[in-house]
């Protein structure tokens, strides 16, 4: 049995501490109030600051960056910390833009994190699509991450990345035994593009978890920004009508406080 400590810092940003490793997902540490452009005339304001400051973080071994080109996944302060971490894993296009310690992965390719005295972590990139069909040229490349190391009891730790529910994400359910799912939700929409969604909504999360059957689901990426359309209350309303064996898998992380999760 392996205990992992997960600290939700805000938005998509979490600190994952496992067997001596410290991994940071999608670092966003700017203060609230700023407006960020997302391309093609869309933008959003940051409504809440991080629960921890960069100065409060322990030394970070690796950053798991689902994509580098949107400010709600990598902002100015988050970008500034990247050179000081051991490795940045991200998309191939993102690694080309970031350079330095960034390592690019295509979907279903893998790499390994290794350090003396710690179990190696095998990291496999998983598919993600940040919007409707044919949106990739506009919204850009995104990946998720599946983490596997010796001693896991329930299966891999999977970080979905910003994605809608589509065939590529369902492929994760077919190919991987997911024990813990860190799901990016929020049902992102913009006034300019009307009902078009750019991240998973609660109904999609319920449907996906019916296929994944994970032991634990940890929702993130649902609060703190103006373009997130489904907050916790909306997600809980959807969960209230879901089968109990799915509803009971969801676990809410308090911001700024580490939560121990058995993986």
């Amino acid at each position: 049995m392996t205990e992992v400590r997960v600290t939700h810092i805000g938005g998509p940003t979490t600190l994952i501490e496992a067997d001596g490793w410290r991994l940071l997902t999608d670092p966003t540490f700017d203060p609230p109030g700023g407006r960020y452009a997302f391309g093609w005339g869309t933008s959003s304001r940051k409504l809440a600051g991080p629960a921890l400051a960069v100065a409060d973080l322990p030394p970070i071994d690796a950053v798991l960056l689902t994509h580098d080109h949107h400010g709600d996944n990598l902002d100015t302060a988050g970008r500034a910390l990247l050179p000081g971490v051991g490795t940045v894993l991200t998309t191939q296009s993102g690694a080309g833009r970031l350079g330095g310690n960034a390592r690019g992965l295509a979907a279903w390719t893998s790499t390994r994190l290794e350090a003396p005295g710690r179990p190696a972590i095998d990291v496999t990139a998983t598919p993600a699509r940040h919007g409707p069909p044919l949106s990739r040229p506009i919204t850009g490349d995104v990946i998720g991450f599946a983490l596997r190391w010796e001693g896991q009891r329930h299966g891999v730790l999977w970080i979905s990345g910003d994605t809608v529910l589509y065939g590529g994400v369902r492929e994760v359910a077919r190919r991987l035994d997911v024990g813990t799912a860190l799901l990016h939700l929020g049902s992102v929409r913009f006034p300019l593009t009307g009902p078009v969604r750019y991240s998973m909504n609660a109904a999609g999360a319920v449907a996906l978890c019916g296929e994944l059957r994970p032991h634990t689901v940890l929702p993130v990426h649902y609060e703190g920004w103006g373009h997130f359309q489904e907050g916790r209350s909306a997600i809980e309303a959807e969960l209230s009508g879901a089968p109990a064996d799915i509803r009971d898998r969801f676990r809410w992380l308090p911001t700024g406080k580490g939560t121990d999760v058995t993986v």
Side-chain angles (χ1 to χ4, degrees), residues 20-65:
W21 289 97
R22 297 185 180 99
L23 312 175
L24 188 67
T25 68
D26 286 355
T28 55
F29 290 92
D30 285 358
R35 180 166 287 278
Y36 297 74
F38 293 97
W40 291 79
T42 61
S43 67
S44 181
R45 188 174 299 280
K46 188 172 186 179
L47 304 177
L52 296 176
V54 171
D56 298 326
L57 296 174
I60 301 299
D61 299 299
V63 166
L64 306 176
L65 179 60

Side-chain angles (χ1 to χ4, degrees), residues 57-237:
L57 296 174
I60 301 299
D61 299 299
V63 166
L64 306 176
L65 179 60
T66 65
H67 58 301
D68 69 302
H69 52 281
H70 291 156
D72 60 331
N73 295 83
L74 181 68
D75 59 16
T76 301
R79 191 177 295 269
L81 70 78
L82 296 184
V85 306
T87 303
V88 178
L89 301 182
T90 191
T91 62
Q92 291 180 308
S93 57
R97 287 185 289 267
L98 294 171
N101 58 352
R103 191 185 308 175
L105 295 173
W108 298 118
T109 63
S110 300
T111 191
R112 175 168 282 194
L113 299 175
E114 296 180 290
R118 306 179 201 166
I121 299 180
D122 290 314
V123 183
T124 300
T126 60
R129 195 183 75 202
H130 204 350
L134 306 179
S135 64
R136 198 179 306 275
I138 299 172
T139 58
D141 294 331
V142 181
I143 54 174
F145 300 98
L147 311 182
R148 180 184 289 107
W149 64 89
E150 186 176 353
Q152 287 174 319
R153 177 182 179 186
H154 298 299
V156 301
L157 169 59
W158 178 52
I159 300 153
S160 71
D162 287 10
T163 185
V164 295
L165 179 60
Y166 79 114
V169 173
R170 287 191 162 102
E171 190 178 0
V172 174
R174 295 193 298 269
R175 294 179 59 162
L176 298 177
D177 177 17
V178 175
T180 302
L182 198 74
L183 287 188
H184 289 213
L185 301 181
S187 190
V188 165
R189 297 195 306 275
F190 298 96
L192 185 67
T193 52
V196 176
R197 284 189 294 104
Y198 297 92
S199 71
M200 201 177 304
N201 63 3
V206 169
L208 177 60
C209 289
E211 300 179 37
L212 285 175
R213 313 304 296 182
H215 182 266
T216 305
V217 181
L218 305 174
V220 297
H221 192 271
Y222 60 85
E223 41 61 58
W225 287 82
H227 60 309
F228 293 174
Q229 303 300 317
E230 284 189 351
R232 177 170 174 172
S233 60
I235 298 168
E236 288 181 322

